[in-house]
Amino acid sequence: MLSVDFVKRRKALFLGLLLVILGQWHAYGQSCSCPPITTCGCTIGLTKMTVQFNGLLGLTVDVQDGGGNIYGGLLLLPGSTFTVQSSAGAGNPFVGNQVTIRTTLLVLANINTSCTNQVKIGTTFGNFTVIAGESVGGAPICCLNMESSPPNFTFCPPNIDVAADAGACGTNVTWPSPTVTDNCAVASVIPDHNKGDFFPVGQTVVKYTATDNYGNTANCSFNVRVRDQTAPVFSGCPANFVVPVNPATCNAVVTWTPPTATDNCDGAVTPTSPTAPGVTFGLGPHTITYTAEDDEGNESTCSFTVTVTDATKPVFANCPANISMPANPTTCNAVVSWVPPTASDKCDASPTVTSTSIPGATFGVGVTTVTYEATDDAGNKETCAFTVTVTDATKPVFANCPTNIAVATNPLTCDVVVNWVPPTVTDNCDASPVVTKTNDPGNTFTLGVHTVTYEATDAAGNKETCSFTITVTDATKPAFANCPTNIAVTTNPMTCDAVVNWVPPTVTDNCDASPVVTKTNDPGNTFTLGVHNVTYEATDAAGNKETCSFTVTVTDATKPVFANCPTNIAVTTNPMTCDAVVNWVPPAVTDNCDASPAVTKTNDPGNTFTLGVHTVTYEATDAAGNKETCSFTVTVTDATKPVFANCPTNIAVNTNPTTCDAVVNWIPPTVSDNCDTSPVVTSTSPPGATFGLGATTVTYEATDAAGNKETCSFTVTVTDVTKPVFANCPTNIAVTTNPVTCDAVVNWTLPTVTDNCDASPIITSTANSGDTFTLGVHTVTYEATDVSGNKETCSFTITVTDVTKPVFANCPANISVSTTPVSCDIVVNWTPPTVTDNCDASPVVTSTHTSGTTFTPGVYTVTYEATDASGNKETCSFTVTVTDATKPVFANCPANISVPADPMTCSIAVNWTPPAVSDNCDASPVVTQTNNSGDTFTLGIHTVTYEATDAAGNKETCS
């Protein structure tokens, strides 16, 4: 009889073992001790397996595979384990793809060790559970229930809002890396954009995906918003320019080429302006401004001035014609009268007119110009001039005019000194007429005929001439220096001729610095084969000639040239004869001097070549004996694969209901080869092999002596085609965001799944009940897969929406400013409002104007609009009022004037240059004055005042 103490100890031992078993069985569920999904699997079949006994009674067992006994022993206690490997040796699959555990008379468990319906850690067979195993190559097998908790992002970067790079439509953006944890281990964290990537203007979603060792994934997302802050750039902004008024209207129609603008993001931008080419301007300066704005509201301006000036002179009417009359014989002068001309100006009613003479004045002998000058208010002047001529028409008289002279040159200087007696001259009215001449006695004359002329001019301008010729002649021939020696050259390899150069001879002549040189050829001329005479001939200005000659001899030393020399040829044998007929296009041969060089060759196109490498050579010889060759190789190889006959067709069978596999038979194919009588044949399976569930490819491979391979393949398919069935698939879900987190936690009842052949189909899902979902529409999909790979899905959508508008803070108050004194505009700055949104860290903000914009006088409404990612909008508006408070500016205000009065009238007309006036905003301020330049003033002090008033009513005076 057992003692109570023994029973207690036996019971405690039993309970301890039971706890160990339960603890180990728990490890077969979701456990971090399972092999990672990236390393576990099954290839070809299992080679090693560890099994645990889960029964309550000790057993004596033996274990066998298809090759015999592989383990035997006594399992005394529950939880005992044993490890077995293939009877074929370590690293080899279990023979027969099955391990059987048995007692002496009873089979306790059959365990499949193939990769079809593969066994996994945690699979129970009777009282035995597989707790470890390896497949071919040492890869561990997978767990029945892999760990399924996804990784957890503990830090996900916040949304990013940055400005684009200057001149670019985006920028490189970086951010802190997210952090992620997992209950087991994180295998990878992969972003769809990298830190430092270039992001374009706009909003881009960056997504990180974390995957743990068991294939569970989690996501982390944030937005990168890039704002464009670069204003458009103007091209072709017109420079300031000046145009004259139309003389008929006192204004001007002004045109110009409008500027263009480009933007770093928007491309071409069309500038706008309140003034278009073809506008009519009055006198004075006018400012034209173009504005270019891009899609982001960035703005730039281009301004220039057009100044309209009066450059039109006054117009004279009835300007007197020239007057000619004889002098009074007694006084040698004349009294001359005429009707004075009148002057008018389109912009000045009373131009000032002055003249150099008045009607009734006395004029002496000769030509006198009378000039009237009219000046308008703009200082433009016009003249009216005519001549008064009082004439004496008697010419002077020459005596003793020399006759023509002929002389010979000095042989050393090619010229001659010539002398003669000058003629004498008298005039009836002028005691000393002015005499000019082209030469003087004793002058030196060069070769040729020279005319010597004397001219006498009296005080009245009457002229007379005396002329004669001097002829100088020469008869000496030119002389050549450095006449070239005979020249020998070879032909150009391409043309059968040669370009020949030499230094031309030089030629001199005692009297001709540049004798005319002719020649039969020039340096750089092309010469054909043979001997050629080259001759130079020099002729001086007097017709004297001299020659210089030499020979040019051209010979050929250029080899023939092959064109299209065949490249090396590689061919395969005729599948029937193990050799090859080879063709090629024979090379063409040319020679610079021989139209038909002689060609020999080692082979002809169409010859038959055996296996191996053969060299084919062509040789060409020209008429001068120059030779050239062209060679290439012909390589013949065997590339014909063996040929299978009677390759089995694909086989489809159903499994044996008892063993879930099938024995399959077929007739093996036969093989032949053109050059090898016995190709080597291998196969992956023999007829009569056992095939598990699925498609197995059976391949025969034949290899000939040249290494050419051919295969014959067919598939053996053992099938189960029934898909799993889902029950209680959730319907679509619609929720609104949490106002604080801009996402929503969503729960649902999980669907259930059954399968006709697989008690535990594998179920995966894209999301879990209780997950947090961001804004948008998310599709949740469950997928069930049975052991045969049959799949079924259950899907529904989760829609998360946001309806809260953005909020503006610090919206600017209305602004009032004045223009600058020089530009009629002002740059206005303000602090832009800030905007926040419950769900969008960077709402898109647009504005009609930006801080720093230049404003002209007027009232402008500035509006900011914020739009969040869900399209909710809010606005902030204020006004900018610009006024002109700058007075016009006078330039060149006249200094005080002090003048004596006319003694006859006790008054005087006073002239001055009117002051110019300009204004920052008004191109033509209104100017009034108390007096005009040219007015007549009486004795005393008079104050002259100019007053300018601009369009804004600002006034300035000049006195």
Side-chain angles (χ1 to χ4, degrees):
M1 182 175 178
L2 298 175
S3 69
V4 173
D5 184 59
F6 175 79
V7 171
K8 287 181 179 179
R9 289 199 306 272
R10 187 68 179 267
K11 184 181 292 184
L13 177 62
F14 173 78
L15 291 174
L17 291 173
L18 182 60
L19 289 173
V20 170
I21 294 169
L22 293 174
Q24 289 179 335
W25 170 245
H26 175 73
Y28 304 147
Q30 295 192 5
S31 171
C32 294
S33 63
C34 283
I37 196 168
T38 55
T39 62
C40 71
C42 185
T43 57
I44 301 178
L46 301 188
T47 64
K48 186 177 182 181
M49 185 166 55
T50 299
V51 180
Q52 176 179 282
F53 175 56
N54 300 323
L56 299 178
L57 299 175
L59 295 171
T60 299
V61 298
D62 65 84
V63 183
Q64 298 176 348
D65 67 3
N69 193 65
I70 54 176
Y71 177 82
L74 178 64
L75 300 178
L76 294 176
L77 297 174
S80 298
T81 64
F82 58 87
T83 300
V84 293
Q85 62 183 18
S86 171
S87 62
N92 291 308
F94 288 100
V95 178
N97 292 326
Q98 182 172 288
V99 169
T100 301
I101 305 174
R102 66 176 69 234
T103 61
T104 304
L105 299 174
L106 180 66
V107 174
L108 301 179
N110 285 317
I111 303 176
N112 169 52
T113 62
S114 72
C115 291
T116 302
N117 195 19
Q118 61 174 289
V119 65
K120 296 184 178 180
I121 295 173
T123 307
T124 298
F125 301 87
N127 287 329
F128 298 90
T129 300
V130 177
I131 63 172
E134 293 180 0
S135 69
V136 173
I141 63 175
C142 302
C143 283
L144 180 64
N145 295 304
M146 299 296 282
E147 190 273 326
S148 62
S149 296
N152 177 49
F153 279 95
T154 57
F155 167 72
C156 187
N159 293 338
I160 298 171
D161 190 322
V162 294
D165 292 339
C169 195
T171 188
N172 296 91
V173 182
T174 189
W175 53 82
S177 298
T179 56
V180 62
T181 60
D182 189 76
N183 60 321
C184 291
V186 177
S188 65
V189 180
I190 300 173
D192 59 4
H193 294 77
N194 294 316
K195 292 191 289 184
D197 278 357
F198 183 86
F199 285 75
V201 166
Q203 186 163 292
T204 303
V205 177
V206 178
K207 178 180 178 183
Y208 278 81
T209 301
T211 306
D212 66 16
N213 279 344
Y214 304 105
N216 303 302
T217 62
N219 296 320
C220 147
S221 298
F222 59 95
N223 296 327
V224 174
R225 166 136 180 95
V226 180
R227 289 175 287 100
D228 174 22
Q229 294 182 324
T230 302
V233 176
F234 273 96
S235 297
C237 188
N240 297 339
F241 63 95
V242 176
V243 295
V245 296
N246 183 326
T249 61
C250 260
N251 57 28
V253 175
V254 183
T255 62
W256 57 88
T257 300
T260 59
T262 58
D263 187 72
N264 59 320
C265 290
D266 297 341
V269 177
T270 301
T272 61
S273 173
T275 308
V279 68
T280 299
F281 287 113
L283 284 172
H286 306 269
T287 299
I288 294 99
T289 300
Y290 280 84
T291 301
E293 183 176 1
D294 64 17
D295 290 345
E296 290 288 318
N298 300 306
E299 188 177 271
S300 59
T301 60
C302 146
S303 294
F304 58 98
T305 59
V306 176
T307 303
V308 180
T309 60
D310 175 16
T312 305
K313 300 177 186 178
V315 177
F316 273 105
N318 305 314
C319 188
N322 292 340
I323 300 169
S324 181
M325 60 189 307
N328 184 309
T330 305
T331 61
C332 259
N333 56 28
V335 174
V336 184
S337 291
W338 59 87
V339 177
T342 58
S344 63
D345 188 81
K346 197 66 180 179
C347 296
D348 185 354
S350 301
T352 301
V353 179
T354 61
S355 68
T356 57
S357 297
I358 59 175
T362 301
F363 292 81
V365 170
V367 179
T368 303
T369 299
V370 178
T371 301
Y372 282 80
E373 183 177 71
T375 306
D376 64 15
D377 287 342
N380 301 305
K381 298 179 185 292
E382 183 59 286
T383 59
C384 152
F386 59 95
T387 59
V388 175
T389 305
V390 180
T391 59
D392 163 34
T394 304
K395 293 192 289 184
V397 176
F398 276 102
N400 304 314
C401 187
T403 58
N404 294 339
I405 300 170
V407 293
T409 60
N410 182 320
L412 297 177
T413 61
C414 207
D415 54 23
V416 65
V417 175
V418 183
N419 285 285
W420 62 87
V421 177
T424 57
V425 64
T426 58
D427 185 78
N428 62 329
C429 294
D430 186 352
S432 301
V434 175
V435 179
T436 61
K437 55 208 179 273
T438 57
N439 299 87
D440 287 305
N443 281 175
T444 300
F445 290 81
T446 56
L447 278 175
V449 179
H450 307 271
T451 300
V452 178
T453 301
Y454 283 79
E455 183 178 70
T457 306
D458 64 14
N462 299 305
K463 298 179 184 293
E464 185 61 281
T465 60
C466 152
S467 296
F468 60 96
T469 61
I470 296 174
T471 302
V472 183
T473 58
D474 165 54
T476 303
K477 291 196 293 184
F480 275 103
N482 304 317
C483 189
T485 58
N486 294 338
I487 299 170
V489 295
T490 58
T491 60
N492 180 318
M494 304 299 295
T495 60
C496 197
D497 51 26
V499 174
V500 183
N501 284 286
W502 58 84
V503 177
T506 57
V507 66
T508 59
D509 186 79
N510 65 326
C511 290
D512 188 351
S514 301
V516 175
V517 179
T518 60
K519 64 267 189 195
T520 57
N521 298 86
D522 286 302
N525 277 178
T526 300
F527 290 81
T528 57
L529 280 173
V531 180
H532 307 269
N533 287 317
V534 178
T535 300
Y536 280 79
E537 183 178 70
T539 305
D540 66 14
N544 302 304
K545 299 179 184 290
E546 186 60 281
T547 60
C548 150
S549 295
F550 60 94
T551 61
V552 173
T553 302
V554 182
T555 59
D556 173 29
T558 302
K559 293 192 287 185
V561 176
F562 276 103
N564 305 316
C565 187
T567 57
N568 295 339
I569 299 172
V571 296
T572 57
T573 59
N574 183 318
M576 304 301 295
T577 61
C578 259
D579 54 22
V581 174
V582 182
N583 283 285
W584 59 86
V585 177
V589 66
T590 58
D591 186 78
N592 63 326
C593 293
D594 186 351
S596 301
V599 180
T600 61
K601 68 266 189 192
T602 58
N603 298 83
D604 288 301
N607 283 174
T608 299
F609 291 80
T610 58
L611 280 172
V613 181
H614 308 268
T615 299
V616 178
T617 301
Y618 283 77
E619 182 178 71
T621 306
D622 67 12
N626 300 306
K627 297 179 182 292
E628 184 60 285
T629 61
C630 149
S631 295
F632 60 96
T633 61
V634 175
T635 302
V636 182
T637 58
D638 173 22
T640 304
K641 299 180 189 177
V643 178
F644 275 103
N646 305 316
C647 187
T649 57
N650 294 338
I651 300 171
V653 296
N654 293 324
T655 61
N656 183 317
T658 303
T659 62
C660 221
D661 54 21
V663 175
V664 183
N665 285 284
W666 61 85
I667 298 173
T670 57
V671 67
S672 61
D673 186 78
N674 65 323
C675 294
D676 185 352
T677 57
S678 301
V680 176
V681 181
T682 61
S683 69
T684 57
S685 299
T690 299
F691 292 81
L693 276 175
T696 303
T697 300
V698 178
T699 302
Y700 283 80
E701 183 178 71
T703 307
D704 65 13
N708 300 306
K709 298 178 184 292
E710 185 60 285
T711 60
C712 151
S713 295
F714 59 96
T715 58
V716 175
T717 305
V718 181
T719 58
D720 164 34
V721 295
T722 304
K723 293 192 288 185
V725 177
F726 275 101
N728 304 317
C729 187
T731 58
N732 294 339
I733 300 171
V735 296
T736 57
T737 60
N738 181 319
V740 177
T741 61
C742 201
D743 52 24
V745 175
V746 184
N747 290 283
W748 61 85
T749 302
L750 304 182
T752 58
V753 67
T754 59
D755 188 78
N756 62 327
C757 293
D758 186 350
S760 301
I762 296 172
I763 302 173
T764 61
S765 67
T766 57
N768 297 313
S769 177
D771 280 357
T772 299
F773 290 81
T774 56
L775 278 175
V777 179
H778 308 268
T779 299
V780 179
T781 301
Y782 283 80
E783 183 178 72
T785 308
D786 65 17
V787 294
S788 297
N790 299 309
K791 298 179 185 290
E792 185 61 285
T793 59
C794 149
S795 295
F796 60 97
T797 60
I798 296 175
T799 304
V800 183
T801 56
D802 165 45
V803 295
T804 304
K805 291 194 290 184
V807 176
F808 275 104
N810 304 316
C811 190
N814 295 338
I815 299 170
S816 293
V817 293
S818 296
T819 60
T820 65
V822 294
S823 64
C824 194
D825 54 26
I826 187 168
V827 175
V828 182
N829 289 285
W830 58 84
T831 300
T834 57
V835 65
T836 58
D837 187 78
N838 64 323
C839 290
D840 188 351
S842 302
V844 176
V845 180
T846 60
S847 65
T848 56
H849 302 76
T850 58
S851 178
T853 297
T854 300
F855 290 84
T856 55
V859 179
Y860 304 85
T861 298
V862 179
T863 299
Y864 282 79
E865 182 179 71
T867 305
D868 66 16
S870 297
N872 302 307
K873 298 179 184 292
E874 185 60 284
T875 59
C876 147
S877 296
F878 59 97
T879 60
V880 174
T881 302
V882 181
T883 57
D884 172 25
T886 303
K887 292 192 279 187
V889 176
F890 277 103
N892 304 317
C893 188
N896 293 337
I897 300 171
S898 178
V899 293
D902 185 318
M904 301 299 295
T905 63
C906 211
S907 63
I908 189 169
V910 181
N911 288 285
W912 60 84
T913 300
V917 66
S918 61
D919 186 77
N920 63 326
C921 292
D922 187 350
S924 301
V926 176
V927 180
T928 61
Q929 68 264 18
T930 56
N931 297 88
N932 292 314
S933 175
D935 281 358
T936 298
F937 290 82
T938 59
L939 282 174
I941 298 173
H942 305 269
T943 299
V944 178
T945 301
Y946 284 80
E947 182 179 69
T949 306
D950 65 16
N954 301 305
K955 299 179 183 291
E956 184 59 285
T957 60
C958 153
S959 296

